[in-house]
Every structure is written in C-alpha cells, then in structure tokens.
C-alpha cells in the first residue's frame, strides 16, 4: 500500500486546543508554544487513508513517539503515513488483524517526529 502524505501548519491555537482537550499544561521554548508529545495522533484526521474503512471500528493497540525536536507553533510539517505491517492473529472471540502504521513528520526536510501506532480490527477477514 502506498503511503499517504499531508502538509500541516501548526498554529498556537491548534496546540492550545489540543492541550486543553487532554488537560495538559502549555509549554514554551524561546517564547514559542510547543505541542504535547501525543499531538501527532490527531494528525491522522487530516489524511484520507485508503486502507482503513471509516465505517469499521478499530481498537487502539499501542503508540509510541520518537522526537528529534519538539513540534513548535509556526512549523509547517510534511507528514507521511505508511502502513508498515499487517498481522493476523487468533483472538478469544475470533480473528484479529493488527495494522501497524508509521507517521513521519519533517519541517524544512529536517526530521521532527516518528510515531508508530497499532490499530486492531476485530473479526474475520472481509
């Protein structure tokens, strides 16, 4: 499956709204607001992801973030979401499909963050 790409402009308002939603304190570096470490998980909302059925429920399995530098207000991030692994397993109530995704974001071609997320689809193959 081909990766999907999206350019995102990180505003102070977006950082503030996300921080309020997760009840996290606002932090600054050199006067710039910085995003909470988990904010890239909502970047998915900007993507049209052809391999995920929007009508199908998914369980959030795991996620981890690896930062080179914090995300700051004013950054323009070029992000790419890739389906990196599909694993089928037997669960107690039927089949499970684990979908591992990698989201990479860069600013001015400099790496900023890589996030790995596993989504789980419950049920037999369609």
């Amino acid at each position: 499956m081909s990766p999907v790409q999206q350019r995102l402009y990180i505003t102070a308002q977006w950082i503030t709204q996300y921080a309020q939603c997760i009840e996290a304190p606002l932090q600054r570096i050199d006067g710039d607001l910085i995003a909470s470490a988990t904010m890239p998980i909502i970047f998915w909302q900007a993507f049209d992801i052809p391999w995920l059925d929007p009508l199908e429920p998914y369980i959030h399995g795991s996620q981890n973030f690896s930062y080179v530098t914090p995300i700051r207000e004013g950054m323009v991030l070029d992000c790419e979401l890739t389906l990196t692994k599909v694993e089928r397993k037997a669960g107690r109530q039927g089949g499970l499909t684990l979908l591992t995704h990698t989201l990479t974001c860069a600013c001015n071609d400099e790496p900023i963050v890589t996030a790995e997320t596993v989504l789980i689809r419950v049920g037999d193959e369609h």
Side-chain angles (χ1 to χ4, degrees):
M1 188 72 52
S2 296
V4 290
Q5 299 174 339
Q6 191 62 253
R7 178 169 278 178
L8 302 171
Y9 180 66
I10 308 301
T11 65
Q13 180 182 4
W14 198 14
I15 291 171
T16 301
Q17 286 174 338
Y18 181 74
Q20 288 172 345
C21 285
I22 64 167
E23 298 180 357
L26 290 173
Q27 298 179 1
R28 293 182 182 273
I29 294 178
D30 299 327
D32 291 338
L33 277 176
I34 60 169
S36 298
T38 57
M39 190 170 171
I41 199 66
I42 67 167
F43 294 175
W44 285 53
Q45 296 169 2
F47 288 90
D48 178 21
I49 306 170
W51 58 84
L52 293 180
D53 182 345
L55 302 177
E56 187 144 359
Y58 295 91
I59 299 169
H60 186 263
S62 66
Q63 68 186 23
N64 64 59
F65 303 91
S66 177
Y67 278 88
V68 175
T69 188
I71 296 172
R72 296 176 179 230
E73 68 178 281
M75 281 185 163
V76 177
L77 297 180
D78 290 310
C79 300
E80 182 173 272
L81 182 64
T82 307
L83 178 61
T84 53
K85 185 176 176 184
V86 177
E87 207 176 349
R88 290 183 176 75
K89 294 185 175 191
R92 284 181 273 181
Q93 297 181 8
L96 301 173
T97 303
L98 284 67
L99 304 161
T100 302
H101 298 82
T102 301
L103 174 69
T104 56
C105 298
C107 181
N108 297 322
D109 294 324
E110 294 294 323
I112 301 297
V113 63
T114 300
E116 185 175 88
T117 303
V118 177
L119 298 180
I120 301 168
R121 183 177 61 226
V122 179
D124 296 321
E125 189 64 25
H126 313 321

